[in-house]
Amino acid sequence: MLLIGINGALAYAVVDDGLHRPPEFNGVLGTVQGVGSLLGGLAAGALLRRLGDRRVTALAAALLAAGLAMRAAPGLVPVAAGTLAVGVGAPLVLITVWTAVQRETPNALVGRVSATVNTLTFGPGTLAVLAGAGLLELVDYRVIQLTGAAGAVLLAGWALRGGPRAASEGLRPAAPQGPPAAGPEETAPPPATPQTAAPAAGRAERG
């Protein structure tokens, strides 16, 4: 979501410096991104059932990487294709996140977890707009786009390897193992009772 926010902050730089179009042309690209978001939202359920959340997250990050890279190109066709890719990837991330929240959170904690996830999901976008606008004063927008694309590639690879869940499982201590179960030769005899002790004593006296 941080990278998506940076992409939004660079929208007018793409139109002005890259395509040499008037600012109003950003409305056309916004429509293209909206169509991509509609397609991504419609496909998200089927993709989650077929691929699972890790692969869908990786797919969304890969689409974002491709979209950011293509939007750094000077031509209208690659910019439009990249905008469409960003539009498809954004809802895939959001739907995957909120599906995981509903699936894995105990009912008693849904409210607090949802509020936290909402902040972590949409907060970075606000910061990214500010960061993107500031970076434009220092470097060319293409550098920012390509750096974001590289970051999205890393995110895709991390998601395929398991993401934070795999990392936490790797740090989780192994469960303590109890003593091995006794085999047949180690089985202790049952405790003696008055009923079993008396016959045994009688046999010993007769012997």
Side-chain angles (χ1 to χ4, degrees):
M1 294 302 294
L2 181 69
L3 295 175
I4 291 173
I6 290 177
N7 175 75
L10 304 179
Y12 286 101
V14 171
V15 171
D16 186 11
D17 298 338
L19 300 179
H20 305 292
R21 300 292 181 99
E24 294 81 7
F25 192 76
N26 190 53
V28 176
L29 294 181
T31 301
V32 173
Q33 184 168 330
V35 171
S37 296
L38 178 62
L39 295 175
L42 292 174
L47 290 174
L48 281 171
R49 287 190 296 270
R50 176 179 290 272
L51 302 178
D53 54 0
R54 287 194 298 110
R55 291 186 178 90
V56 172
T57 303
L59 173 62
L63 287 170
L64 179 59
L68 291 174
M70 287 188 287
R71 281 173 60 85
L76 176 59
V77 173
V79 168
T83 303
L84 184 69
V86 171
V88 174
L92 292 182
V93 171
L94 293 172
I95 293 173
T96 300
V97 167
W98 288 104
T99 299
V101 169
Q102 294 297 322
R103 184 181 63 236
E104 299 183 15
T105 306
N107 290 336
L109 299 177
V110 168
R112 281 175 283 177
V113 171
S114 297
T116 303
V117 172
N118 188 70
T119 301
L120 294 175
T121 301
F122 295 104
T126 303
L127 298 177
V129 172
L130 299 174
L135 288 173
L136 280 175
E137 297 295 325
L138 303 175
V139 295
D140 186 81
Y141 82 94
R142 298 175 184 86
V143 175
I144 304 173
Q145 294 277 146
L146 295 176
T147 303
V153 170
L154 294 177
L155 287 175
W158 190 44
L160 285 177
R161 294 188 61 181
R165 179 178 299 176
S168 64
E169 289 176 353
L171 297 174
R172 186 179 302 163
Q177 297 181 354
E185 69 279 1
E186 299 175 354
T187 304
T193 63
Q195 291 79 6
T196 59
R203 287 195 299 270
E205 290 174 359
R206 289 194 299 271

